[in-house]
Amino acid sequence: MSLTVLGIETSCDETAAAVVRGGSEVLSSVVYSQVPLHRPYGGVVPEIASRSHIEKIRGIVEAAMTQAFGSCDWSRIDAVAATYGPGLAPALLVGWNAAKGISIAAGKPLVAVHHMYAHLHAVRLGHPELREEALYPQFGLAVSGGHTCFIASDAPGSCRLLGQTIDDAAGEAFDKAAKCLGLGYPGGPVIDRLARTLPPEERRTIDFPLGRVSADHPLPEGWQHDLCVSFSGLKTALITYVRKHPPRDERDVARICSAYQEAIVEALALRADLALKRGRYRSFAVGGGVSLNGRLREALSGVAQARGVPVYFAAPAYCGDNAAMIAGYASAGGGIREGALALDIDPSLPI
Ligand code: KG4
Ligand code: ZN
């Protein structure tokens, strides 16, 4: 039987609710972005995020239910799911507790969803033809403002972390570079746009480091050194470069942005290539806000094609934080049901 699930997501700076049926059919997806509230600070302020989620959550849930069913009719859903981690504690608490409230009041089961597993599930939204049998075992790259993880999964929810960033996430690296260049927040979209203004031969006129993690760096069991990445040195290299060569015009800024972006893209593509070479995967899934990046999509498509593994990107509407990925994952049978009402949020929920 195909489940219809209301999903709620408030792990960072988006207040989102959605209704999804059978893992892939999106009946509604409503996202309120707080970006303008955080822009003056150059990053997400947890206290502001939390207060804004509290203000918006009720209206966003009602909008998602009304768009899906014409009214807020709880009898139409089989369960309510929400992100319980990882994320910012004061932000997570709002969505998780709203979902608990709905679960109790409407008498519907509650499902606890791992935010990163949902990012990888997002490739299936709007694509009922992507059946589980054809996707697993799967290699996944979840790449956002808070995470950069290389994940192997034998089945949905059965994930093993192969490696990840040991410091800044890729999106954070974009955001910090934009801040340093005075380009505003968030940095990824503006760096992507400026880099596109250059002809291909000017894409990489500066050499930035590819974030290798040395073999003697201590890592948790199971993580592979060459599948981990460090982006903090890249940011330092940028600051040093800009100090020595202050940009004179827009084209100089574009060259810096582009070379920086190329370094991030190559760093991720190198690791993806290694992982695809080592493992036996039926598919490669890419999700998270940074997966909107045009050059990253190009590079990862090239790597996957060369390794003969089909690559799936989330549709643009489902790359950044959204609730369709939460509802979708839960309506495909993922997440924790047993004892979910007693579960607390987990801001650093491991993979
Ligand atoms: O998944 P997301 O919406 O939120 C988190 O869970 O973090 O990702 C936000 C991140 C930001 O760091 C933003 O700069 C980055 O995604 N981003 C991009 C692009 N669009 C958004 N990075 C590179 N290129 C883009 N086009
Ligand atoms: Zn996210």
Side-chain angles (χ1 to χ4, degrees):
M1 192 198 68
S2 121
L3 295 177
T4 303
V5 175
L6 164 69
I8 295 177
E9 155 63 38
T10 65
S11 68
C12 189
D13 61 344
E14 265 87 27
T15 316
V19 180
V20 178
R21 187 189 289 149
S24 61
E25 189 190 348
V26 182
L27 304 186
S28 67
S29 177
V30 183
V31 181
Y32 166 75
S33 167
Q34 302 174 355
V35 162
L37 301 181
H38 301 287
R39 196 169 273 135
Y41 307 94
V44 180
V45 183
E47 170 81 12
I48 294 176
S50 176
R51 282 169 186 254
S52 175
H53 285 314
I54 290 169
E55 260 173 45
K56 298 287 177 190
I57 189 76
R58 180 174 173 179
I60 297 292
V61 168
E62 283 175 358
M65 288 294 289
T66 308
Q67 280 180 27
F69 307 117
S71 72
C72 210
D73 178 358
W74 306 114
S75 72
R76 304 288 295 274
I77 58 167
D78 299 306
V80 53
T83 307
Y84 77 115
L88 301 171
L92 283 166
L93 275 172
V94 180
W96 183 233
N97 282 306
K100 280 188 177 178
I102 293 168
S103 164
I104 294 165
K108 299 289 175 181
L110 177 69
V111 187
V113 172
H114 192 301
H115 183 79
M116 305 315 289
Y117 299 179
H119 264 306
L120 294 182
H121 180 87
V123 304
R124 292 175 61 187
L125 297 172
H127 291 282
E129 76 284 4
L130 294 181
R131 316 291 311 170
E132 250 164 55
E133 311 81 77
L135 294 174
Y136 294 89
Q138 182 177 76
F139 172 59
L141 167 58
V143 63
S144 70
H147 290 86
T148 299
C149 311
F150 299 97
I151 298 167
S153 7
D154 293 327
S158 141
C159 297
R160 212 160 25 88
L161 193 60
L162 301 173
Q164 67 167 2
T165 174
I166 58 161
D167 40 55
D168 295 348
E172 206 176 342
F174 275 110
D175 295 339
K176 286 181 174 170
K179 196 169 182 180
C180 156
L181 294 165
L183 298 173
Y185 171 85
V190 59
I191 290 177
D192 192 1
R193 185 174 53 74
L194 284 171
R196 280 172 207 263
T197 63
L198 293 177
E201 65 277 11
E202 283 183 42
R203 267 187 199 149
R204 196 171 198 161
T205 49
I206 309 158
D207 256 341
F208 284 120
L210 299 179
R212 292 204 166 78
V213 175
S214 76
D216 51 13
H217 187 94
L219 289 178
E221 207 184 313
W223 299 17
Q224 298 163 32
H225 281 90
D226 49 7
L227 295 184
C228 285
V229 60
S230 159
F231 284 123
S232 66
L234 177 61
K235 177 195 61 196
T236 313
L238 173 83
I239 294 169
T240 311
Y241 181 87
V242 170
R243 243 187 236 135
K244 277 196 198 146
H245 313 274
R248 289 156 303 182
D249 52 24
E250 181 122 330
R251 203 171 175 95
D252 276 349
V253 177
R255 280 197 197 98
I256 297 170
C257 286
S258 178
Y260 188 87
Q261 172 174 277
E262 291 298 312
I264 296 177
V265 167
E266 191 177 335
L268 297 174
L270 271 173
R271 275 106 186 145
D273 184 54
L274 264 183
L276 290 175
K277 185 170 91 179
R278 279 181 197 154
R280 284 182 164 273
Y281 301 107
R282 284 217 175 89
S283 71
F284 175 19
V286 190
V290 180
S291 70
L292 284 166
N293 188 275
R295 287 287 297 146
L296 182 65
R297 285 187 174 225
E298 245 179 82
L300 295 179
S301 300
V303 160
Q305 199 185 10
R307 295 277 168 212
V309 179
V311 62
Y312 301 106
F313 295 96
Y318 309 127
C319 283
D321 286 348
N322 67 89
M325 65 185 195
I326 307 300
Y329 182 70
S331 69
I336 302 172
R337 279 165 191 252
E338 202 66 31
L341 270 172
L343 266 184
D344 192 5
I345 55 149
D346 187 346
S348 43
L349 186 63
I351 285 175

